């Protein structure tokens, strides 16, 4: 077996796991008639943690390019969930905020989404999660220092 094969398999499994998570969240959104995509959820979730951030920061946090994020922002604005305001310190930048409708949507959808996490946590167990977190943090640190 070639060197690095096991690590390559690990990275493939991380990717497959991420995709499975995306599909689980997308199914949950669809089952509950949320009317948004997983990508829109990523943007909203970032805003649920911090509002008034620039679209550039939002693009970095969601790993979206500018064109993709602009499209997502336009769709979220049409739904009435977000608004963009000119940054008073840099007119070229827009700051993004949740609207009242966006806040209401969060209050409706969060308990439903939280159930995905609760179910997974109950199935995997806290000890298993702690072990995986520790191992993934080690992988992260190795990759950041290469």
């Amino acid at each position: 077996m070639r060197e690095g094969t096991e690590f390559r398999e690990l990275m493939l499994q991380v990717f497959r796991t991420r995709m499975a998570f995306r599909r689980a969240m997308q199914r949950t959104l669809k089952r509950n008639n949320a009317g948004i995509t997983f990508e829109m959820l990523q943007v909203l979730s970032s805003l649920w943690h911090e509002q008034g951030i620039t679209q550039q920061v939002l693009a970095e946090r969601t790993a979206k390019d500018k064109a993709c994020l602009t499209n997502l922002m336009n769709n979220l604005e049409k739904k009435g969930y977000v608004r963009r305001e000119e940054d008073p310190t840099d007119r070229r930048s827009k700051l993004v905020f949740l609207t009242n409708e966006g806040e209401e949507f969060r209050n409706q959808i969060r308990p439903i989404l939280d159930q995905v996490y609760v179910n997974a946590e109950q199935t995997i167990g806290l000890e298993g999660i702690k072990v995986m977190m520790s191992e993934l943090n080690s992988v992260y640190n190795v990759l950041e220092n290469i």
Side-chain angles (χ1 to χ4, degrees):
M1 194 178 280
R2 290 192 335 251
E3 282 187 45
T5 300
E6 293 297 323
F7 190 79
R8 185 175 290 111
E9 286 299 315
L10 172 63
M11 291 299 95
L12 285 171
Q13 187 57 45
V14 167
F15 181 74
R16 286 190 295 263
T17 302
R18 180 191 178 283
M19 295 307 294
F21 171 74
R22 182 190 181 286
R23 287 189 302 271
M25 290 304 242
Q26 191 70 46
R27 282 190 305 269
T28 301
L29 291 167
K30 189 172 185 175
R31 222 180 3 254
N32 289 278
N33 300 312
I36 64 167
T37 64
F38 177 76
E39 288 73 19
M40 290 177 184
L41 176 63
Q42 288 179 296
V43 171
L44 289 173
S45 183
S46 290
L47 293 172
W48 294 343
H49 291 97
E50 183 181 7
Q51 292 193 56
I53 55 178
T54 65
Q55 283 189 215
Q56 179 62 38
V57 169
L58 207 46
E60 291 166 8
R61 290 188 183 167
T62 58
K64 306 285 180 226
D65 62 43
K66 284 172 108 176
C68 180
L69 183 69
T70 297
N71 188 38
L72 290 169
M73 292 300 303
N74 290 341
N75 288 329
L76 288 168
E77 269 186 329
K78 284 178 193 166
K79 290 185 174 296
Y81 294 154
V82 300
R83 72 178 193 283
R84 292 179 269 196
E85 296 178 8
E86 196 174 270
D87 184 342
T89 61
D90 181 0
R91 291 191 336 227
R92 296 168 297 168
S93 291
K94 299 277 188 201
L95 301 178
V96 184
F97 298 88
L98 288 173
T99 62
N100 289 338
E101 292 88 351
E103 296 278 0
E104 287 174 30
F105 180 74
R106 172 180 54 188
N107 294 338
Q108 292 169 2
I109 201 70
R110 277 284 291 273
I112 294 165
L113 298 174
D114 286 347
Q115 200 55 50
V116 173
Y117 294 105
V118 169
N119 290 341
E121 187 174 291
Q122 288 173 345
T123 302
I124 296 167
L126 286 177
E127 193 54 41
I129 291 170
K130 287 178 185 176
V131 168
M132 284 187 261
M133 280 294 298
S134 175
E135 296 299 327
L136 286 171
N137 279 328
S138 294
V139 171
Y140 175 84
N141 289 331
V142 165
L143 292 172
E144 281 294 308
N145 291 305
I146 289 179

